[in-house]
Coordinates of all heavy atoms in Angstrom, one line a residue:
M1 N 2.1 33.8 -14.2 CA 2.7 32.7 -14.9 C 1.7 31.9 -15.6 O 0.7 31.5 -15.1 CB 3.5 31.9 -13.9 CG 4.7 31.2 -14.4 SD 5.5 30.1 -13.2 CE 6.8 31.0 -12.6
T2 N 2.0 31.6 -16.9 CA 1.0 30.8 -17.6 C 1.2 29.3 -17.2 O 2.2 28.9 -16.6 CB 1.2 30.9 -19.1 OG1 2.5 30.4 -19.5 CG2 1.1 32.3 -19.5
D3 N 0.3 28.5 -17.6 CA 0.2 27.0 -17.2 C 1.5 26.4 -17.9 O 2.1 25.5 -17.3 CB -1.1 26.4 -17.7 CG -2.2 26.8 -16.9 OD1 -2.0 27.2 -15.7 OD2 -3.3 26.7 -17.3
T4 N 1.8 26.8 -19.2 CA 2.9 26.2 -19.9 C 4.2 26.5 -19.2 O 5.1 25.7 -19.0 CB 2.9 26.6 -21.3 OG1 1.6 26.4 -21.9 CG2 3.9 25.8 -22.1
T5 N 4.4 27.8 -18.8 CA 5.6 28.2 -18.2 C 5.8 27.4 -16.8 O 6.9 27.0 -16.5 CB 5.6 29.7 -17.9 OG1 5.3 30.4 -19.2 CG2 6.9 30.2 -17.4
E6 N 4.7 27.4 -16.1 CA 4.8 26.7 -14.8 C 5.2 25.2 -15.0 O 6.0 24.7 -14.3 CB 3.5 26.8 -14.0 CG 3.5 26.2 -12.6 CD 2.2 26.5 -12.0 OE1 1.3 27.1 -12.5 OE2 2.1 26.0 -10.8
L7 N 4.5 24.5 -16.0 CA 4.8 23.2 -16.3 C 6.2 22.9 -16.6 O 7.0 22.1 -16.1 CB 4.0 22.6 -17.4 CG 4.2 21.3 -17.9 CD1 3.9 20.2 -16.8 CD2 3.5 21.0 -19.2
W8 N 6.8 23.8 -17.5 CA 8.2 23.6 -17.9 C 9.2 24.0 -16.8 O 10.3 23.3 -16.7 CB 8.5 24.4 -19.1 CG 8.0 23.7 -20.4 CD1 6.9 24.0 -21.1 CD2 8.5 22.5 -20.9 NE1 6.8 23.1 -22.1 CE2 7.8 22.2 -22.0 CE3 9.6 21.7 -20.6 CZ2 8.0 21.0 -22.8 CZ3 9.9 20.5 -21.4 CH2 9.1 20.3 -22.5
T9 N 8.8 24.9 -16.0 CA 9.7 25.2 -14.8 C 9.8 24.0 -13.9 O 10.8 23.6 -13.4 CB 9.1 26.4 -14.0 OG1 9.0 27.5 -14.9 CG2 10.0 26.8 -12.9
V10 N 8.6 23.4 -13.6 CA 8.7 22.2 -12.7 C 9.5 21.0 -13.4 O 10.2 20.4 -12.7 CB 7.2 21.7 -12.5 CG1 7.2 20.4 -11.8 CG2 6.6 22.7 -11.5
I11 N 9.2 20.8 -14.7 CA 10.0 19.7 -15.4 C 11.4 20.0 -15.3 O 12.3 19.0 -15.0 CB 9.5 19.6 -16.8 CG1 8.1 19.0 -16.9 CG2 10.4 18.7 -17.7 CD1 7.4 19.0 -18.2
I12 N 11.9 21.2 -15.6 CA 13.4 21.5 -15.6 C 13.9 21.4 -14.2 O 15.0 20.8 -14.0 CB 13.6 22.9 -16.2 CG1 13.3 22.8 -17.7 CG2 14.9 23.4 -15.9 CD1 13.2 24.2 -18.4
A13 N 13.1 21.9 -13.2 CA 13.7 21.7 -11.8 C 13.8 20.3 -11.4 O 14.8 20.0 -10.7 CB 12.7 22.5 -10.9
L14 N 12.8 19.5 -11.7 CA 12.9 18.1 -11.3 C 14.0 17.4 -12.1 O 14.7 16.5 -11.5 CB 11.6 17.4 -11.6 CG 10.4 17.7 -10.7 CD1 9.1 17.1 -11.2 CD2 10.7 17.3 -9.3
G15 N 14.2 17.7 -13.3 CA 15.3 17.2 -14.1 C 16.7 17.5 -13.5 O 17.6 16.7 -13.3
L16 N 16.9 18.8 -13.1 CA 18.1 19.2 -12.4 C 18.4 18.5 -11.1 O 19.4 18.1 -10.8 CB 18.1 20.8 -12.3 CG 18.2 21.6 -13.6 CD1 18.1 23.0 -13.3 CD2 19.6 21.3 -14.2
G17 N 17.2 18.4 -10.3 CA 17.4 17.7 -9.1 C 17.7 16.2 -9.3 O 18.6 15.8 -8.5
S18 N 17.1 15.6 -10.2 CA 17.4 14.2 -10.5 C 18.9 14.0 -10.9 O 19.6 13.1 -10.6 CB 16.5 13.7 -11.6 OG 16.9 12.3 -11.9
F19 N 19.3 15.0 -11.8 CA 20.7 14.9 -12.3 C 21.6 15.1 -11.2 O 22.7 14.4 -11.0 CB 20.9 15.9 -13.4 CG 22.4 16.0 -13.8 CD1 22.9 15.2 -14.8 CD2 23.2 17.0 -13.3 CE1 24.2 15.2 -15.1 CE2 24.5 17.1 -13.7 CZ 25.0 16.2 -14.6
G20 N 21.3 16.1 -10.3 CA 22.2 16.3 -9.1 C 22.4 15.2 -8.2 O 23.5 14.9 -7.8
L21 N 21.3 14.5 -8.0 CA 21.3 13.3 -7.1 C 22.2 12.2 -7.7 O 23.1 11.6 -7.0 CB 20.0 12.8 -6.8 CG 19.2 13.6 -5.8 CD1 17.7 13.0 -5.7 CD2 19.8 13.5 -4.4
R22 N 22.0 11.9 -9.0 CA 22.7 10.9 -9.7 C 24.2 11.3 -9.8 O 25.1 10.5 -9.6 CB 22.1 10.6 -11.0 CG 20.9 9.7 -10.9 CD 20.4 9.3 -12.2 NE 19.4 10.3 -12.5 CZ 19.3 10.8 -13.8 NH1 19.9 10.3 -14.7 NH2 18.4 11.7 -14.0
F23 N 24.5 12.6 -10.1 CA 25.8 13.0 -10.2 C 26.6 13.0 -8.9 O 27.8 12.6 -8.9 CB 25.9 14.5 -10.7 CG 27.3 15.0 -10.9 CD1 28.1 14.5 -12.0 CD2 27.9 15.9 -10.0 CE1 29.3 15.0 -12.2 CE2 29.2 16.3 -10.2 CZ 29.9 15.9 -11.3
A24 N 25.9 13.2 -7.8 CA 26.5 13.1 -6.5 C 27.1 11.7 -6.3 O 28.2 11.5 -5.7 CB 25.6 13.4 -5.4
F25 N 26.4 10.7 -6.7 CA 26.9 9.3 -6.5 C 27.9 8.9 -7.6 O 28.9 8.3 -7.4 CB 25.7 8.3 -6.4 CG 25.1 8.3 -5.0 CD1 23.9 9.0 -4.8 CD2 25.7 7.7 -3.9 CE1 23.4 9.0 -3.5 CE2 25.1 7.7 -2.7 CZ 23.9 8.4 -2.5
L26 N 27.5 9.1 -8.8 CA 28.2 8.6 -10.0 C 29.5 9.5 -10.3 O 30.5 9.0 -10.6 CB 27.3 8.4 -11.2 CG 26.2 7.4 -11.0 CD1 25.3 7.4 -12.2 CD2 26.7 6.0 -10.7
G27 N 29.2 10.8 -10.3 CA 30.3 11.7 -10.7 C 31.3 12.0 -9.6 O 32.5 12.0 -9.9
L28 N 30.8 12.2 -8.4 CA 31.7 12.6 -7.3 C 32.3 11.4 -6.6 O 33.5 11.4 -6.2 CB 31.0 13.5 -6.3 CG 30.5 14.8 -6.9 CD1 29.7 15.6 -5.9 CD2 31.5 15.7 -7.5
V29 N 31.5 10.3 -6.4 CA 31.9 9.2 -5.7 C 32.2 7.9 -6.5 O 32.5 6.9 -6.0 CB 30.8 8.9 -4.5 CG1 31.3 7.8 -3.6 CG2 30.5 10.1 -3.8
G30 N 32.0 8.1 -7.8 CA 31.9 6.9 -8.7 C 33.2 6.1 -8.7 O 33.1 4.8 -8.7
D31 N 34.3 6.6 -8.5 CA 35.6 5.8 -8.6 C 36.1 5.5 -7.2 O 37.2 4.9 -7.0 CB 36.6 6.6 -9.3 CG 37.0 7.9 -8.7 OD1 36.2 8.4 -7.9 OD2 38.0 8.5 -9.1
R32 N 35.4 5.8 -6.1 CA 35.8 5.6 -4.7 C 34.9 4.5 -4.1 O 33.7 4.5 -4.4 CB 35.9 6.8 -3.9 CG 36.9 7.8 -4.3 CD 37.0 8.9 -3.4 NE 36.2 10.0 -4.2 CZ 35.7 11.1 -3.7 NH1 35.8 11.3 -2.4 NH2 35.2 11.9 -4.4
A33 N 35.4 3.8 -3.2 CA 34.6 2.9 -2.4 C 33.7 3.6 -1.5 O 34.2 4.5 -0.7 CB 35.4 1.8 -1.8
M34 N 32.5 3.2 -1.4 CA 31.5 3.9 -0.4 C 31.7 3.1 0.9 O 32.0 1.9 0.9 CB 30.1 3.8 -0.9 CG 29.8 4.8 -2.0 SD 28.1 4.9 -2.4 CE 27.9 4.0 -3.9
P35 N 31.4 3.8 2.0 CA 31.5 3.2 3.3 C 30.4 2.1 3.5 O 29.4 2.1 2.9 CB 31.2 4.3 4.3 CG 31.2 5.6 3.5 CD 31.1 5.3 2.1
E36 N 30.8 1.1 4.2 CA 29.9 -0.1 4.4 C 28.5 0.4 5.0 O 27.5 -0.2 4.6 CB 30.5 -1.0 5.4 CG 29.7 -2.3 5.6 CD 29.4 -3.0 4.3 OE1 30.3 -3.1 3.4 OE2 28.4 -3.6 4.1
W37 N 28.5 1.3 5.9 CA 27.2 1.8 6.5 C 26.3 2.4 5.4 O 25.1 2.2 5.4 CB 27.4 2.8 7.6 CG 28.0 4.0 7.2 CD1 29.3 4.4 7.2 CD2 27.3 5.2 6.7 NE1 29.6 5.6 6.8 CE2 28.3 6.2 6.5 CE3 26.0 5.5 6.5 CZ2 28.0 7.5 6.0 CZ3 25.7 6.8 6.0 CH2 26.7 7.7 5.7
L38 N 26.9 3.1 4.4 CA 26.1 3.7 3.4 C 25.5 2.6 2.4 O 24.4 2.6 2.0 CB 26.9 4.7 2.6 CG 26.2 5.4 1.4 CD1 25.0 6.2 1.9 CD2 27.1 6.4 0.7
L39 N 26.4 1.6 2.1 CA 25.9 0.6 1.2 C 24.8 -0.3 1.9 O 23.9 -0.7 1.2 CB 27.1 -0.3 0.9 CG 28.2 0.3 0.0 CD1 29.4 -0.7 -0.1 CD2 27.6 0.5 -1.3
R40 N 24.9 -0.5 3.2 CA 23.9 -1.2 3.9 C 22.5 -0.4 3.9 O 21.5 -1.0 3.6 CB 24.3 -1.4 5.3 CG 23.4 -2.2 6.2 CD 23.9 -2.5 7.6 NE 24.4 -1.4 8.3 CZ 25.7 -1.2 8.6 NH1 26.6 -2.0 8.3 NH2 26.0 -0.1 9.3
H41 N 22.6 0.8 3.9 CA 21.4 1.7 3.9 C 20.8 1.7 2.5 O 19.6 1.7 2.3 CB 21.6 3.0 4.4 CG 21.8 3.1 5.9 ND1 22.8 2.6 6.5 CD2 20.9 3.7 6.8 CE1 22.7 2.9 7.9 NE2 21.5 3.5 8.1
L42 N 21.6 1.8 1.5 CA 21.2 1.9 0.1 C 20.5 0.6 -0.4 O 19.7 0.6 -1.3 CB 22.3 2.1 -0.8 CG 22.8 3.6 -0.8 CD1 24.1 3.7 -1.7 CD2 21.8 4.6 -1.2
R43 N 20.8 -0.5 0.3 CA 20.2 -1.8 0.0 C 18.7 -1.8 0.3 O 17.9 -2.5 -0.4 CB 20.8 -3.0 0.9 CG 21.6 -3.9 0.1 CD 22.1 -5.0 0.9 NE 23.5 -4.6 1.4 CZ 24.0 -4.8 2.6 NH1 23.4 -5.4 3.4 NH2 25.3 -4.4 2.8
Y44 N 18.2 -1.0 1.1 CA 16.8 -0.9 1.5 C 16.1 0.2 0.7 O 14.9 0.4 1.0 CB 16.7 -0.6 3.0 CG 17.3 -1.7 3.9 CD1 18.4 -1.6 4.5 CD2 16.7 -3.0 3.8 CE1 19.0 -2.6 5.2 CE2 17.2 -4.0 4.6 CZ 18.4 -3.8 5.3 OH 18.9 -4.8 6.0
T45 N 16.6 0.8 -0.3 CA 16.0 1.9 -1.0 C 14.8 1.4 -1.7 O 13.6 1.9 -1.6 CB 17.0 2.5 -2.0 OG1 18.1 3.1 -1.2 CG2 16.3 3.7 -2.7
A46 N 14.9 0.3 -2.5 CA 13.8 -0.3 -3.2 C 12.7 -0.8 -2.3 O 11.5 -0.7 -2.6 CB 14.3 -1.4 -4.2
V47 N 13.1 -1.4 -1.2 CA 12.1 -1.8 -0.2 C 11.3 -0.8 0.4 O 10.2 -0.9 0.7 CB 12.9 -2.7 0.9 CG1 12.0 -3.2 1.9 CG2 13.7 -3.8 0.3
A48 N 11.9 0.4 0.4 CA 11.1 1.6 0.9 C 10.3 2.3 -0.2 O 9.2 2.7 0.1 CB 12.0 2.6 1.6
V49 N 10.9 2.4 -1.3 CA 10.2 3.2 -2.4 C 9.0 2.5 -3.0 O 7.9 3.0 -3.2 CB 11.3 3.5 -3.5 CG1 10.6 4.0 -4.7 CG2 12.3 4.5 -2.9
I50 N 9.2 1.2 -3.3 CA 8.1 0.4 -4.0 C 6.8 0.5 -3.1 O 5.7 0.8 -3.6 CB 8.5 -1.0 -4.3 CG1 9.5 -0.9 -5.4 CG2 7.3 -1.8 -4.8 CD1 10.2 -2.1 -5.8
P51 N 6.8 0.1 -1.8 CA 5.6 0.2 -1.0 C 5.0 1.7 -0.9 O 3.9 1.9 -0.9 CB 6.0 -0.3 0.4 CG 7.2 -1.2 0.1 CD 7.9 -0.5 -1.0
A52 N 5.9 2.7 -0.9 CA 5.5 4.0 -0.9 C 4.7 4.4 -2.2 O 3.8 5.3 -2.1 CB 6.7 5.0 -0.7
L53 N 5.1 3.8 -3.2 CA 4.4 4.1 -4.5 C 3.0 3.3 -4.6 O 2.1 3.8 -5.1 CB 5.2 3.7 -5.7 CG 6.5 4.5 -5.9 CD1 7.4 3.9 -7.0 CD2 6.1 6.0 -6.3
V54 N 3.0 2.1 -4.0 CA 1.9 1.3 -4.2 C 0.9 1.5 -3.1 O -0.3 1.5 -3.4 CB 2.3 -0.2 -4.1 CG1 1.1 -1.1 -4.0 CG2 3.2 -0.5 -5.3
A55 N 1.2 1.9 -1.8 CA 0.3 2.1 -0.8 C -0.9 3.1 -1.0 O -2.0 2.7 -0.7 CB 1.0 2.5 0.5
P56 N -0.6 4.2 -1.6 CA -1.7 5.1 -1.8 C -2.7 4.5 -2.9 O -3.9 4.7 -2.8 CB -1.1 6.4 -2.5 CG 0.3 6.3 -1.9 CD 0.7 4.8 -1.8
L57 N -2.2 3.7 -3.8 CA -3.1 3.1 -4.8 C -4.0 2.0 -4.2 O -5.0 1.7 -4.7 CB -2.3 2.5 -6.0 CG -1.4 3.5 -6.7 CD1 -0.5 2.8 -7.7 CD2 -2.3 4.5 -7.5
V58 N -3.5 1.3 -3.1 CA -4.3 0.3 -2.4 C -5.2 1.0 -1.5 O -6.4 0.6 -1.3 CB -3.3 -0.7 -1.7 CG1 -4.1 -1.6 -0.8 CG2 -2.5 -1.4 -2.8
L59 N -4.7 1.9 -0.6 CA -5.6 2.5 0.4 C -6.5 3.5 0.0 O -7.6 3.6 0.6 CB -4.6 3.1 1.5 CG -3.7 2.1 2.2 CD1 -2.8 2.8 3.1 CD2 -4.5 1.0 2.9
W60 N -6.2 4.3 -1.0 CA -7.1 5.4 -1.5 C -7.1 5.3 -3.0 O -6.8 6.3 -3.7 CB -6.6 6.8 -1.1 CG -6.4 6.8 0.4 CD1 -7.3 6.9 1.3 CD2 -5.1 6.8 1.1 NE1 -6.7 7.0 2.6 CE2 -5.4 6.9 2.5 CE3 -3.8 6.8 0.7 CZ2 -4.4 7.0 3.5 CZ3 -2.8 6.8 1.7 CH2 -3.1 6.9 3.0
P61 N -7.7 4.3 -3.6 CA -7.8 4.2 -5.1 C -8.7 5.2 -5.7 O -9.8 5.5 -5.1 CB -8.3 2.8 -5.3 CG -8.9 2.4 -4.1 CD -8.3 3.1 -3.0
T62 N -8.3 5.8 -6.8 CA -9.2 6.9 -7.4 C -10.4 6.2 -8.0 O -11.5 6.9 -8.2 CB -8.5 7.6 -8.5 OG1 -7.9 6.7 -9.4 CG2 -7.3 8.4 -7.9
V63 N -10.4 4.9 -8.4 CA -11.5 4.3 -8.9 C -12.7 4.2 -8.0 O -13.8 4.4 -8.4 CB -11.2 2.8 -9.3 CG1 -12.3 2.0 -9.7 CG2 -10.1 2.8 -10.3
T64 N -12.5 4.2 -6.7 CA -13.5 4.1 -5.7 C -13.8 5.5 -5.0 O -14.4 5.6 -4.0 CB -13.2 3.1 -4.6 OG1 -12.0 3.5 -3.9 CG2 -13.1 1.7 -5.2
G65 N -13.2 6.5 -5.6 CA -13.3 7.8 -5.0 C -12.5 8.0 -3.8 O -12.8 8.8 -2.9
G66 N -11.5 7.3 -3.6 CA -10.6 7.4 -2.5 C -10.9 6.6 -1.3 O -10.3 6.7 -0.2
E67 N -11.9 5.7 -1.4 CA -12.4 4.9 -0.3 C -11.7 3.5 -0.4 O -11.5 3.0 -1.5 CB -13.9 4.7 -0.3 CG -14.7 5.9 -0.1 CD -14.5 6.5 1.3 OE1 -14.4 5.7 2.3 OE2 -14.4 7.7 1.4
P68 N -11.2 2.9 0.7 CA -10.5 1.7 0.6 C -11.5 0.6 0.0 O -12.7 0.7 0.2 CB -10.3 1.3 2.1 CG -10.2 2.7 2.7 CD -11.2 3.5 2.1
D69 N -10.9 -0.3 -0.7 CA -11.7 -1.3 -1.4 C -11.3 -2.7 -1.1 O -10.1 -3.0 -1.0 CB -11.5 -1.1 -2.9 CG -12.2 -2.0 -3.8 OD1 -13.3 -2.5 -3.4 OD2 -11.8 -2.2 -5.0
A70 N -12.2 -3.6 -0.7 CA -11.9 -4.9 -0.3 C -11.1 -5.7 -1.3 O -10.2 -6.5 -1.0 CB -13.1 -5.7 0.1
T71 N -11.4 -5.5 -2.6 CA -10.7 -6.2 -3.7 C -9.2 -5.9 -3.7 O -8.3 -6.7 -3.8 CB -11.3 -5.8 -5.1 OG1 -12.7 -6.1 -5.0 CG2 -10.6 -6.5 -6.1
R72 N -8.8 -4.6 -3.6 CA -7.5 -4.2 -3.6 C -6.7 -4.5 -2.3 O -5.6 -4.9 -2.4 CB -7.4 -2.6 -3.9 CG -7.7 -2.3 -5.3 CD -7.9 -0.9 -5.5 NE -8.2 -0.6 -6.9 CZ -9.3 -0.9 -7.5 NH1 -10.3 -1.5 -6.9 NH2 -9.5 -0.7 -8.8
L73 N -7.5 -4.5 -1.2 CA -6.8 -4.8 0.1 C -6.5 -6.3 0.1 O -5.4 -6.7 0.5 CB -7.7 -4.5 1.2 CG -7.9 -3.0 1.5 CD1 -8.9 -2.8 2.6 CD2 -6.6 -2.4 1.9
A74 N -7.4 -7.2 -0.5 CA -7.2 -8.6 -0.6 C -6.1 -8.9 -1.5 O -5.2 -9.8 -1.2 CB -8.5 -9.3 -1.0
A75 N -6.0 -8.2 -2.6 CA -4.8 -8.4 -3.5 C -3.6 -8.0 -3.0 O -2.5 -8.7 -3.1 CB -5.1 -7.6 -4.9
A76 N -3.6 -6.9 -2.2 CA -2.3 -6.5 -1.5 C -1.9 -7.5 -0.5 O -0.7 -7.8 -0.3 CB -2.5 -5.1 -1.0
A77 N -2.9 -8.0 0.3 CA -2.5 -9.0 1.3 C -2.0 -10.2 0.7 O -1.0 -10.9 1.3 CB -3.7 -9.3 2.2
A78 N -2.6 -10.7 -0.4 CA -2.1 -12.0 -1.1 C -0.7 -11.7 -1.6 O 0.2 -12.6 -1.5 CB -3.1 -12.3 -2.2
T79 N -0.5 -10.6 -2.2 CA 0.9 -10.2 -2.7 C 1.9 -10.2 -1.6 O 3.0 -10.8 -1.7 CB 0.8 -8.9 -3.4 OG1 -0.1 -8.8 -4.4 CG2 2.2 -8.5 -4.0
F80 N 1.6 -9.6 -0.5 CA 2.5 -9.6 0.7 C 2.8 -11.0 1.2 O 3.9 -11.3 1.5 CB 2.0 -8.7 1.7 CG 2.8 -8.6 3.0 CD1 4.0 -7.9 3.0 CD2 2.5 -9.4 4.1 CE1 4.8 -7.8 4.1 CE2 3.3 -9.4 5.2 CZ 4.5 -8.6 5.2
A81 N 1.7 -11.8 1.4 CA 1.9 -13.1 1.9 C 2.7 -13.9 1.1 O 3.7 -14.6 1.5 CB 0.5 -13.7 2.2
V82 N 2.5 -13.9 -0.3 CA 3.3 -14.8 -1.2 C 4.7 -14.3 -1.3 O 5.7 -15.1 -1.2 CB 2.6 -14.8 -2.5 CG1 3.5 -15.5 -3.6 CG2 1.3 -15.6 -2.5
G83 N 4.9 -13.0 -1.3 CA 6.2 -12.5 -1.3 C 7.1 -12.8 -0.1 O 8.2 -13.1 -0.1
Y84 N 6.4 -12.7 1.1 CA 7.0 -13.0 2.4 C 7.4 -14.5 2.5 O 8.5 -14.8 3.0 CB 6.1 -12.5 3.5 CG 6.8 -12.7 4.9 CD1 7.7 -11.8 5.3 CD2 6.4 -13.8 5.7 CE1 8.3 -12.0 6.6 CE2 7.0 -14.0 6.9 CZ 7.9 -13.1 7.4 OH 8.5 -13.3 8.6
L85 N 6.5 -15.3 2.1 CA 6.7 -16.7 2.3 C 7.6 -17.3 1.2 O 8.4 -18.2 1.6 CB 5.3 -17.5 2.2 CG 4.4 -17.2 3.4 CD1 3.0 -17.9 3.1 CD2 5.0 -17.6 4.6
T86 N 7.6 -16.9 0.0 CA 8.4 -17.4 -1.1 C 9.7 -16.7 -1.4 O 10.6 -17.2 -2.0 CB 7.6 -17.6 -2.4 OG1 7.3 -16.3 -2.9 CG2 6.4 -18.4 -2.2
K87 N 9.7 -15.4 -1.0 CA 10.8 -14.5 -1.3 C 11.0 -14.4 -2.8 O 12.1 -14.2 -3.4 CB 12.2 -15.0 -0.7 CG 12.1 -15.2 0.8 CD 12.0 -13.9 1.5 CE 12.2 -14.1 3.0 NZ 11.0 -14.1 3.8
N88 N 9.9 -14.5 -3.6 CA 9.9 -14.5 -5.1 C 9.0 -13.3 -5.5 O 7.8 -13.4 -5.4 CB 9.4 -15.8 -5.6 CG 9.5 -15.9 -7.1 OD1 9.5 -14.9 -7.8 ND2 9.7 -17.1 -7.6
V89 N 9.6 -12.3 -6.0 CA 8.9 -11.1 -6.5 C 7.9 -11.4 -7.6 O 6.7 -11.0 -7.5 CB 9.9 -10.0 -7.0 CG1 9.2 -8.8 -7.5 CG2 10.8 -9.6 -5.9
F90 N 8.3 -12.3 -8.5 CA 7.4 -12.5 -9.7 C 6.2 -13.3 -9.3 O 5.1 -13.1 -9.8 CB 8.2 -13.2 -10.8 CG 9.3 -12.4 -11.4 CD1 10.7 -12.7 -11.2 CD2 9.0 -11.2 -12.0 CE1 11.6 -11.9 -11.7 CE2 10.0 -10.4 -12.6 CZ 11.3 -10.8 -12.4
A91 N 6.4 -14.3 -8.4 CA 5.3 -15.1 -7.8 C 4.3 -14.1 -7.1 O 3.1 -14.3 -7.2 CB 5.8 -16.2 -6.9
A92 N 4.8 -13.2 -6.3 CA 4.0 -12.3 -5.5 C 3.2 -11.4 -6.5 O 2.0 -11.3 -6.2 CB 4.9 -11.5 -4.6
M93 N 3.9 -10.9 -7.5 CA 3.2 -10.0 -8.5 C 2.2 -10.8 -9.2 O 1.0 -10.3 -9.4 CB 4.2 -9.4 -9.4 CG 5.0 -8.3 -8.7 SD 6.1 -7.4 -9.8 CE 6.5 -8.4 -11.2
G94 N 2.4 -12.0 -9.6 CA 1.5 -12.9 -10.3 C 0.3 -13.2 -9.5 O -0.9 -13.1 -10.0
V95 N 0.5 -13.5 -8.2 CA -0.7 -13.9 -7.3 C -1.5 -12.6 -7.1 O -2.7 -12.6 -7.1 CB -0.1 -14.5 -6.0 CG1 -1.2 -14.6 -5.0 CG2 0.4 -15.9 -6.3
G96 N -0.8 -11.5 -6.8 CA -1.5 -10.3 -6.5 C -2.4 -9.8 -7.7 O -3.5 -9.5 -7.6
A97 N -1.8 -9.9 -8.9 CA -2.6 -9.5 -10.2 C -3.8 -10.5 -10.4 O -4.9 -10.1 -10.7 CB -1.7 -9.6 -11.4
T98 N -3.5 -11.8 -10.2 CA -4.6 -12.8 -10.3 C -5.7 -12.6 -9.3 O -6.9 -12.6 -9.7 CB -4.0 -14.2 -10.1 OG1 -2.9 -14.4 -11.1 CG2 -5.1 -15.3 -10.3
V99 N -5.4 -12.3 -8.1 CA -6.4 -12.0 -7.0 C -7.2 -10.8 -7.4 O -8.4 -10.7 -7.3 CB -5.8 -11.9 -5.7 CG1 -6.8 -11.4 -4.6 CG2 -5.2 -13.3 -5.2
L100 N -6.4 -9.7 -7.8 CA -7.1 -8.5 -8.2 C -8.1 -8.6 -9.3 O -9.3 -8.2 -9.2 CB -6.1 -7.4 -8.5 CG -6.6 -6.0 -8.9 CD1 -7.4 -5.4 -7.7 CD2 -5.5 -5.1 -9.4
V101 N -7.6 -9.3 -10.4 CA -8.5 -9.5 -11.6 C -9.7 -10.4 -11.2 O -10.8 -10.1 -11.6 CB -7.7 -10.0 -12.8 CG1 -8.6 -10.5 -13.9 CG2 -6.7 -9.0 -13.2
S102 N -9.4 -11.5 -10.5 CA -10.4 -12.5 -10.2 C -11.5 -11.9 -9.4 O -12.7 -12.0 -9.6 CB -9.8 -13.7 -9.4 OG -8.9 -14.3 -10.3
L103 N -11.1 -11.1 -8.3 CA -12.1 -10.5 -7.4 C -12.8 -9.4 -8.1 O -14.1 -9.1 -7.9 CB -11.4 -10.0 -6.1 CG -11.0 -11.1 -5.2 CD1 -10.3 -10.5 -3.9 CD2 -12.1 -12.0 -4.8
S104 N -12.1 -8.6 -9.1 CA -12.8 -7.6 -9.8 C -13.9 -8.2 -10.7 O -15.0 -7.5 -10.8 CB -11.8 -6.8 -10.6 OG -10.9 -6.2 -9.8
L105 N -13.6 -9.4 -11.2 CA -14.7 -9.9 -12.2 C -15.9 -10.6 -11.3 O -16.9 -10.5 -11.8 CB -14.0 -11.0 -13.0 CG -13.0 -10.5 -14.0 CD1 -12.3 -11.7 -14.7 CD2 -13.7 -9.7 -15.0
L106 N -15.5 -11.0 -10.1 CA -16.5 -11.7 -9.3 C -17.5 -10.7 -8.6 O -18.6 -10.9 -8.4 CB -15.9 -12.6 -8.3 CG -15.3 -13.9 -8.9 CD1 -14.5 -14.6 -7.7 CD2 -16.3 -14.8 -9.5
L107 N -16.9 -9.5 -8.2 CA -17.6 -8.5 -7.4 C -18.2 -7.5 -8.2 O -17.8 -7.0 -9.2 CB -16.8 -8.0 -6.2 CG -16.2 -9.0 -5.2 CD1 -15.3 -8.4 -4.2 CD2 -17.4 -9.8 -4.6

């Protein structure tokens, strides 16, 4: 298999998988009420996905060759603390970005 064929096979497979997941909710269940237990679990999807995307970038950044970095750990800790205390996503992101840039310039 050539590199181009493998790439397009993966892209098409991921596209079909993504379509299938969305169709299951929108096409098959779209006009019916979902059970309360399912709605309760779906509320936590973003809370689970976002840290799963960010954690590898904080713990094993490619900039440092996969080694944990005090700058990124401090920025993540500040982001978490502000988010937890204020319940404000934008404030947490702003503080995290400020800490990351500030410490990057200082160190």
